[in-house]
Amino acid sequence: VLLDGKPLESGTITFSAPDGRPPAEGTIANGAYSLKVPPGERRVEIRRYVDLKDKKGPGGETLTMDTIPARYNNDSTLKATVTAE
């Protein structure tokens, strides 16, 4: 997985099925990931969360922020056709 032409150091990748079946999710490390995804058309989302060290939630937990542009996750138009091979 590349972002701005460089391997994404860390993050997550999700392959969602259009029929609402549970998504396949995996971890990205140094631009690579490995996971089993059932065959078919999938919508792809990529995320990377970082801690906002100076920001705390109502329970005192450290808040996080997704640093990947929305066009690669919430507004993703990324598609993949997964084959049985």
Side-chain angles (χ1 to χ4, degrees):
V1 176
L2 301 176
L3 180 65
D4 298 328
K6 299 175 187 168
L8 186 61
E9 282 187 32
S10 63
T12 61
I13 189 164
T14 304
F15 291 84
S16 300
D19 62 7
R21 286 184 287 164
E25 299 176 314
T27 301
I28 300 168
N30 298 316
Y33 65 92
S34 178
L35 68 146
K36 292 185 179 187
V37 180
E41 290 293 316
R42 300 288 181 255
R43 178 176 182 263
V44 181
E45 295 182 12
I46 301 167
R47 298 178 186 280
R48 178 184 58 205
Y49 290 97
V50 296
D51 288 345
L52 299 175
K53 295 176 180 148
D54 298 332
K55 305 285 183 182
K56 301 290 183 188
E61 71 278 6
T62 300
L63 297 178
T64 61
M65 177 177 80
D66 189 354
T67 61
I68 302 292
R71 69 179 178 265
Y72 300 120
N73 45 63
N74 292 346
D75 301 333
S76 179
T77 58
L78 300 173
K79 304 261 187 233
T81 301
V82 179
T83 62
E85 296 87 45

